[in-house]
Amino acid sequence: MTSSTVTSPRPDRPPRPNLAFRRLRGKRSPAEFAAAVRRAAREIGERVSCDARYIGRVEAGEIRCPNYAYERVFLHMFPGRTLTDLGFAPRSSVRGRRARADEEATGAHADRAPGTASETRRAREPYDTPDTQYPHHPYEPHHPHHPHDPHHPYDPHDDNEESDVLRRAFMMSGATVAAASLGPLALAHDAVAAGRPPRRAGANHAGALEEAVRRIRLLDDRHGADGLYRRAAAPLRTAYALLDAGATRQATADRLYAGAGELAISVGWLAHDSGRFDDARSHYAEALATSRMTGDLALEAHAFCNMAFLARDAGRPREAVRAAQAAQRAARSLGSARLLSLLALREAGGWAGLADRVGCEQALTRAQALFGQGPSDADPEWMTFYGEAELEGLEAQCWSTLGDWPRAARHARRAAALQDPHFTRNLALYSAELADDLARGGRPDEAAGAGMRVLDLLGEVQSSRIHTMLAGTARVLLPHRRASGVAAFLDRHASLPRTA
């Protein structure tokens, strides 16, 4: 059996120590860090037999690239980082050397007794599961009824030398190509990745950063967050490296800080919408800290706005109310009625979570009145999503939280009808809200029809939020299988491939 560690084709060259991984261990002993790795694995349903010896081999550079199970655990432990950030070699380069070494070993030792280790392959350690031994990794989160498809272009087990991490991150070719085009920061990112400090930032860097934020928002609107989060973290690290390098002018520095803060919020939202609440909280807090350092009230209001939304989704409604109120205080002097309207809706969501119907209705009334004042030049660029459809959708969520299903369904239906069909993710979200409200309101046939419309959109959208909502609707509809259209919806929903 082979090891997942590939020895160098030049055995006289000692392995290069993995100093980046050693720094991440910090003051913990190898045994303590190994225990942390095992705990992290349990959190995401993986099984790794990590011990102090494995950590020592990684830090010594003997393990140049971990197997898939360890990869998932390490990326869970250090969100936003890539394998390269953790000091490992790209899987494509390691896999290429493995293939050549295996071919050489096969030719040079064809008469070797079975089970004997060659010069390029060691006996497998119990904690080092080889990638090549299991075409379907035993810990890969595939459902037994949905086996690995070797011909799927984005299957994580495809042996193409393109980065496996990149393929796993993107679920559809459109998102892959567009996300890869976040290239305006490429030169600075390459310098950061190579451990070199980037040059002092100029106006072109600030413009590239602002464009990266716009592209991420556009991709999220069209495709959802699940395929974007890990990839979007790289421009964020580059942005903060540019801040540390300094700018040629104060005006450029101000743009860089604002851009980095907005990018942190965008990356936080991708984490939020894909269910990574702890990661999202960290990114939002980073944006808030940036706003406080520079006295940027617009960035502060945006950060508190998203923190309120996250608190609501995480089951902390009182925190949602307070964050929304803090956002409103920051936004009062900005002159945007639409921004204050959205923030009032965030507050309403918190009151609904506290089952305070009066507080919720008062905040909703404020939100509608402010929205009625119309748009203005002071409206932030990031609020392009906030139109009448979003107003209706957020109000639907409030009534749903309060258990007023008919009222929630009316608003969700309006939201879906008003939504621009180009923004596929929001159209799917409002339709999923409608399906759930109808199901809980005792209208299973209509709920099944709305659910079918969501299923039709899932080929273009990858959002854990929408998948979770649809799964909840399916559970509510299970006792109503005989109602018109329900069985077809349940069967089609059950056939969806399970997400990792």
Side-chain angles (χ1 to χ4, degrees):
M1 291 186 286
T2 64
S3 168
S4 65
T5 304
V6 180
T7 47
S8 170
R10 296 180 58 180
D12 56 328
R13 174 177 293 181
R16 179 179 298 176
N18 187 337
L19 301 180
F21 198 87
R22 174 63 188 88
R23 285 193 294 270
L24 291 170
R25 174 161 68 86
K27 295 181 179 180
R28 288 174 286 187
S29 70
E32 290 170 336
F33 192 71
V37 172
R38 295 194 298 271
R39 283 196 300 273
R42 289 194 294 271
E43 290 172 2
I44 60 172
E46 288 290 357
R47 291 182 295 165
V48 295
S49 302
C50 187
D51 58 12
R53 185 179 174 212
Y54 180 88
I55 299 301
R57 290 175 59 213
V58 171
E59 293 178 359
E62 295 177 22
I63 296 179
R64 299 182 55 244
C65 187
N67 65 36
Y68 287 113
Y70 275 107
E71 174 188 323
R72 284 189 289 274
V73 175
F74 292 150
L75 296 182
H76 171 67
M77 292 177 70
F78 305 107
R81 289 182 169 92
T82 64
L83 285 180
T84 305
D85 297 331
L86 302 182
F88 293 110
R91 189 176 299 282
S92 57
S93 65
V94 172
R95 174 171 283 156
R97 291 180 182 178
R98 178 202 302 279
R100 290 191 296 273
D102 285 353
E103 289 171 4
E104 293 169 3
T106 302
H109 305 284
D111 58 348
R112 185 179 299 277
T116 306
S118 74
E119 292 180 6
T120 58
R121 303 196 291 181
R122 299 179 286 101
R124 178 173 62 91
E125 296 294 342
Y127 41 74
D128 203 8
T129 308
D131 298 332
T132 55
Q133 186 179 355
Y134 299 102
H136 313 291
H137 195 284
Y139 308 139
E140 195 69 27
H142 287 295
H143 192 274
H145 300 299
H146 301 281
H148 144 69
D149 178 3
H151 304 294
H152 194 285
Y154 300 106
D155 191 276
H157 299 280
D158 187 290
D159 255 357
N160 192 295
E161 288 190 3
E162 178 190 359
S163 164
D164 291 275
V165 178
L166 182 60
R167 278 202 306 277
R168 292 168 63 81
F170 297 104
M171 303 305 293
M172 52 284 192
S173 59
T176 303
V177 173
S181 70
L182 293 175
L185 299 175
L187 293 177
H189 173 67
D190 290 345
V192 173
R196 303 190 308 271
R199 295 181 179 179
R200 289 172 67 83
N204 59 328
H205 292 96
L209 181 54
E210 291 159 357
E211 182 60 24
V213 174
R214 294 187 190 102
R215 292 186 186 185
I216 289 172
R217 287 174 183 158
L218 179 62
L219 288 169
D220 175 53
D221 285 340
R222 292 182 176 174
H223 301 294
D226 283 13
L228 300 173
Y229 170 57
R230 190 172 293 162
R231 180 68 173 172
L236 179 59
R237 290 194 301 276
T238 303
Y240 278 98
L242 287 171
L243 289 181
D244 195 51
T248 54
R249 296 182 179 179
Q250 184 59 45
T252 301
D254 292 343
R255 287 178 64 191
L256 283 172
Y257 272 100
E262 290 294 343
L263 186 55
I265 291 174
S266 292
V267 175
W269 165 247
L270 296 178
H272 180 174
D273 195 44
S274 55
R276 301 172 173 93
F277 288 176
D278 288 343
D279 292 1
R281 190 178 181 89
S282 175
H283 288 304
Y284 292 160
E286 193 167 34
L288 181 61
T290 301
S291 74
R292 294 286 178 81
M293 283 190 292
T294 58
D296 188 335
L297 289 176
L299 180 58
E300 180 177 341
H302 192 186
F304 271 128
C305 175
N306 279 44
M307 292 172 83
F309 197 11
L310 175 63
R312 189 207 70 171
D313 285 353
R316 299 190 298 270
R318 195 169 302 280
E319 179 183 326
V321 170
R322 291 175 176 172
Q325 291 172 341
Q328 290 170 77
R329 288 193 295 273
R332 278 192 192 119
S333 63
L334 300 178
S336 171
R338 284 287 168 92
L339 174 56
L340 289 171
S341 172
L342 176 60
L343 298 176
L345 282 169
R346 295 285 187 250
E347 182 182 342
W351 289 123
L354 290 168
D356 187 333
R357 190 181 185 98
V358 173
C360 180
E361 288 181 333
Q362 289 174 345
L364 287 174
T365 299
R366 273 202 328 276
Q368 291 159 354
L370 288 162
F371 186 88
Q373 294 181 27
S376 75
D377 292 340
D379 295 340
E381 182 182 351
W382 60 266
M383 283 190 61
T384 52
F385 73 93
Y386 186 55
E388 193 175 356
E390 182 73 2
L391 173 69
E392 294 286 348
L394 291 175
E395 184 164 353
Q397 291 175 15
C398 289
W399 294 118
S400 178
T401 303
L402 289 168
D404 191 337
W405 313 118
R407 200 166 183 176
R410 285 199 302 273
H411 287 283
R413 196 186 301 277
R414 287 179 202 156
L418 290 165
Q419 179 57 52
D420 182 339
H422 288 94
F423 295 102
T424 315
R425 182 261 178 199
N426 278 5
L427 182 59
L429 176 67
Y430 302 146
S431 299
E433 176 69 38
L434 174 60
D436 197 62
D437 294 333
L438 290 169
R440 296 177 190 278
R443 296 155 74 179
D445 51 342
E446 293 181 58
M452 282 293 201
R453 291 192 290 276
V454 180
L455 291 172
D456 290 339
L457 296 169
L458 289 186
E460 303 175 54
V461 176
Q462 292 294 325
S463 169
S464 293
R465 177 188 300 273
I466 293 170
H467 278 278
T468 300
M469 292 172 68
L470 210 55
T473 301
R475 287 192 295 271
V476 174
L477 289 178
L478 275 174
H480 305 282
R481 178 176 281 274
R482 293 184 179 181
S484 175
V486 172
F489 165 73
L490 291 175
D491 291 343
R492 188 174 169 193
H493 179 264
S495 70
L496 288 175
R498 296 184 63 173
T499 55

